[in-house]
Amino acid sequence: MATSSHHHSVAHGDATVGIQPAPLPLPNFLGSVKLKYVKLGYHYLMSHLLTLCLVTLFVITAVNLSQLNLDDVMKLYTHLQYNLFVVTAISGAVVLGSMAYLMTQPKPVYLVDYACYRPPDNLKVKFDFFIERSRLHGGFNESALEFQRKILERSGLGEETYLPEALHSIPPVPSMAAARKEAEDVMFGALGDLFKTSGINTKDIEILVVNCSLFNPTPSLSSMIVNKYKLRGNIKTFNLGGMGCSAGVTAVDLAKDMLQVHRSTYAVVVSMENITQNWYFGNKKSMLISNCLFRVGGAAVLLSNKSADKRRAKYKLLHTVRTHCGPNDTAFNCVYQKQDDVGKIGVSLSKDLMAVAGVALKENITTLGQLVLPISEQILFFVSLIARRIMGFKTKPYIPDIKLAFDHFCIHPGGRAVIDELKKNLQLLEEHMEPSRMTLYRFGNTASSSIWYELAYTEAKGRMKKGNRVMQIAFGSGFKCNSVVWEAVRGVRPSEGNPWADCIHKFPVELSV
């Protein structure tokens, strides 16, 4: 490509003065560089820095060894013979250290399979049906009915969520027997699908953890399962109650700890909530919100510490982080089961809930970030902290990019406001929120089991590839924020009983604002 220059002259009396045109500005090289690729390159370099250093060290060592002649090798051998005791001691120390390290490492825990309960179609509840049944009950005044209608319309729920049989009756019959039936339908429905798809012999299950916050009968829910499936007599069972929607992660964490103690065994976790006896029939608005959001659902999860199960497992458990804000009175009281002024029992949701959830989320992510964030992000965060706290620079704190640590997110669908707030706080994209929004729309808030419906959605969409990392995070009364991290050990296909199997082609749906 040829270039040309132009020279202009202007006459001033007897002299002619040449005027050179102003030089063209240099191109904006910074603007021409896509900074996101620079940042990706930085992350790649820092993430593989140790590997690069080891490769460099190996190459240097190999070059030096290749330059040794036979005399050098004989001298080295003689030197080692004269220092045999030292060589033996060092070798023994290395062997013992390696054995101690391997013995103290936690045993891998694998998620072999899981199943989510899908209620029968006759339990679906449209908004108009919901309001009609509430009106026919006679316990709600017009203000309470209108409030529930508005909450439903803004909640993010769709028209195909499920309520238990007892609440479809006129009048509703929230009896103990009806509550037991709901629990049996949910637990046995999920477990039946799990045992069918996994092919496990129920006698091989040595650990059983069941969580349900608001319904804890005697005999316990775990005993109902033992009796139904005739599980072994020395099975170790646990029943977690009153722990809210984050109890599913708590149950997984407990099962993980048990699998560190008991070798070569299976653990089953059942997560659910019971609505039948916990429907609020009063008119206090802070206690009516739960009626509009919570729906029937449950999940059963099969965990194993057997190395042979790695080949058929879906995921490997990497981390669990539990954050408890109970010492703070505001946090403790923001989700509270109580009686209203006329003695009606329900769960009250405080106006401080979102603020409390934000604090709990920050504490949980701060702890989790140290375990999962690439070293590149941790360095940037540390440098930012030093600059602000020690050197006094007035700069904004560096917020680590959590998206670099995970490929998928299963965020508890506590309601549209909860999902929006977590998207904002974690700086996620709308595509990351899709499983949460679609689960809320299709199944509602199924409490502690919701995160499993979200994982099932991701699988049904064919998005889970080998090596993908997924974070499940949920909030619970008390107040708690719990998270768990899984890694796909293979490309995961949806199980036969996937709750989205016959409708996944309809999603995602467009939601009104």
Side-chain angles (χ1 to χ4, degrees):
M1 184 173 88
T3 61
S4 61
S5 61
H6 301 279
H7 182 275
H8 301 279
S9 61
V10 180
H12 290 273
D14 296 330
T16 300
V17 180
I19 302 177
Q20 294 287 351
L24 295 174
L26 291 174
N28 184 357
F29 293 107
L30 184 61
S32 66
V33 176
K34 293 187 176 181
L35 293 181
K36 69 175 183 178
Y37 295 117
V38 175
K39 188 173 182 181
L40 286 174
Y42 162 72
H43 287 305
Y44 185 85
L45 174 63
M46 297 307 299
S47 299
H48 298 83
L49 185 60
L50 180 59
T51 302
L52 292 173
C53 291
L54 290 176
V55 169
T56 302
L57 181 61
F58 175 79
V59 171
I60 293 174
T61 303
V63 170
N64 288 331
L65 289 176
S66 65
Q67 295 175 348
L68 294 177
N69 54 37
L70 184 59
D71 290 339
D72 294 329
V73 174
M74 292 303 298
K75 289 179 181 178
L76 178 61
Y77 177 74
T78 304
H79 181 73
L80 292 177
Q81 281 185 316
Y82 283 111
N83 295 274
L84 185 60
F85 176 78
V86 175
V87 173
T88 304
I90 293 176
S91 301
V94 170
V95 171
L96 290 175
S98 301
M99 291 178 61
Y101 173 79
L102 293 174
M103 293 178 66
T104 55
Q105 288 300 294
K107 302 179 184 67
V109 174
Y110 299 103
L111 192 163
V112 178
D113 208 345
Y114 67 97
C116 299
Y117 174 64
R118 180 171 173 175
D121 289 345
N122 65 295
L123 297 184
K124 288 182 179 179
V125 52
K126 293 182 179 296
F127 291 172
D128 290 342
F129 179 90
F130 180 97
I131 297 299
E132 177 196 0
R133 285 293 190 270
S134 298
R135 188 184 301 278
L136 290 174
H137 175 262
F140 302 103
N141 58 35
E142 285 300 319
S143 177
L145 290 171
E146 183 60 24
F147 177 77
Q148 291 181 87
R149 181 187 297 277
K150 290 181 178 178
I151 292 295
L152 283 173
E153 292 172 351
R154 302 170 184 174
S155 64
L157 272 72
E159 300 266 6
E160 296 189 350
T161 59
Y162 305 90
L163 284 178
E165 287 184 24
L167 299 180
H168 283 259
S169 303
I170 304 176
V173 285
S175 63
M176 173 64 80
R180 281 184 182 275
K181 184 178 187 310
E182 180 192 347
E184 290 173 352
D185 289 344
V186 173
M187 294 191 303
F188 301 159
L191 285 167
D193 287 342
L194 177 65
F195 295 154
K196 178 181 178 181
T197 57
S198 66
I200 185 178
N201 185 340
T202 56
K203 293 295 183 181
D204 292 335
I205 301 170
E206 294 188 26
I207 301 163
L208 174 64
V209 185
V210 182
N211 70 269
C212 182
S213 286
L214 298 174
F215 182 62
N216 290 283
T218 299
S220 67
L221 297 173
S222 58
S223 293
M224 292 165 62
I225 295 173
V226 171
N227 177 259
K228 166 70 175 180
Y229 294 102
K230 310 303 177 187
L231 303 184
R232 57 197 302 163
N234 63 344
I235 189 171
K236 298 157 188 69
T237 63
F238 302 87
N239 227 82
L240 307 181
M243 302 187 76
C245 300
S246 66
V249 179
T250 305
V252 169
D253 188 48
L254 174 58
K256 177 200 72 174
D257 290 343
M258 293 297 296
L259 288 171
Q260 298 305 308
V261 178
H262 302 278
R263 294 180 176 275
S264 190
T265 190
Y266 291 108
V268 169
V269 171
V270 179
S271 298
M272 59 168 291
E273 192 50 83
N274 192 284
I275 298 175
T276 297
Q277 282 194 310
N278 297 287
W279 198 257
Y280 175 61
F281 290 105
N283 293 295
K284 192 168 184 178
K285 292 182 178 179
S286 64
M287 301 170 75
L288 283 168
I289 298 174
S290 59
N291 284 9
C292 302
L293 296 178
F294 286 93
R295 295 294 184 265
V296 173
V301 184
L302 177 63
L303 302 176
S304 171
N305 59 9
K306 299 182 179 183
S307 57
D309 281 322
K310 180 179 180 180
R311 293 191 298 272
R312 67 174 185 137
K314 288 186 171 184
Y315 304 95
K316 179 181 178 181
L317 178 59
L318 299 184
H319 307 287
T320 54
V321 175
R322 295 164 58 183
T323 302
H324 208 307
C325 300
N328 181 284
D329 290 341
T330 301
F332 177 77
N333 291 299
C334 69
V335 180
Y336 205 92
Q337 186 181 27
K338 63 181 182 180
Q339 290 179 309
D340 64 12
D341 298 336
V342 295
K344 300 291 180 64
I345 297 176
V347 176
S348 175
L349 303 180
S350 165
K351 65 181 186 304
D352 300 316
L353 178 59
M354 296 308 300
V356 169
V359 173
L361 175 67
K362 179 181 178 181
E363 293 185 16
N364 188 275
I365 293 298
T366 299
T367 303
L368 182 63
Q370 300 173 29
L371 303 173
V372 299
L373 282 172
I375 188 65
S376 54
E377 283 294 284
Q378 298 195 40
I379 290 174
L380 289 175
F381 177 77
F382 180 73
V383 170
S384 171
L385 186 66
I386 294 296
R388 290 186 304 108
R389 296 287 180 86
I390 298 179
M391 303 180 70
F393 291 171
K394 294 182 179 180
T395 59
K396 291 183 178 180
Y398 180 76
I399 301 175
D401 188 357
I402 197 73
K403 299 186 292 295
L404 292 171
F406 304 108
D407 302 283
H408 308 284
F409 296 84
C410 297
I411 295 171
H412 174 60
R416 173 179 284 180
V418 174
I419 296 174
D420 290 343
E421 190 67 20
L422 264 69
K423 176 187 176 184
K424 176 183 175 183
N425 275 273
L426 295 178
Q427 299 183 338
L428 299 179
L429 305 176
E430 189 55 41
E431 63 192 64
H432 298 129
M433 314 308 294
E434 183 183 320
S436 185
R437 293 195 193 278
M438 294 304 103
T439 295
L440 181 65
Y441 179 86
R442 177 62 184 85
F443 293 99
N445 181 351
T446 62
S448 58
S449 65
S450 295
I451 54 178
W452 296 107
Y453 287 88
E454 295 178 38
L455 188 59
Y457 179 89
T458 304
E459 292 179 6
K461 282 292 185 180
R463 298 172 181 171
M464 193 64 67
K465 310 302 181 184
K466 181 178 180 179
N468 280 183
R469 288 190 174 191
V470 55
M471 178 181 74
Q472 294 176 312
I473 188 165
F475 299 95
S477 56
F479 188 85
K480 299 177 288 295
C481 177
N482 297 338
S483 57
V484 58
V485 180
W486 306 93
E487 182 179 66
V489 297
R490 56 184 170 88
V492 180
R493 296 181 179 179
S495 299
E496 182 180 341
N498 188 290
W500 301 87
D502 66 340
C503 62
I504 192 62
H505 61 281
K506 301 178 183 178
F507 294 93
V509 298
E510 185 176 348
L511 301 176
S512 58
V513 179

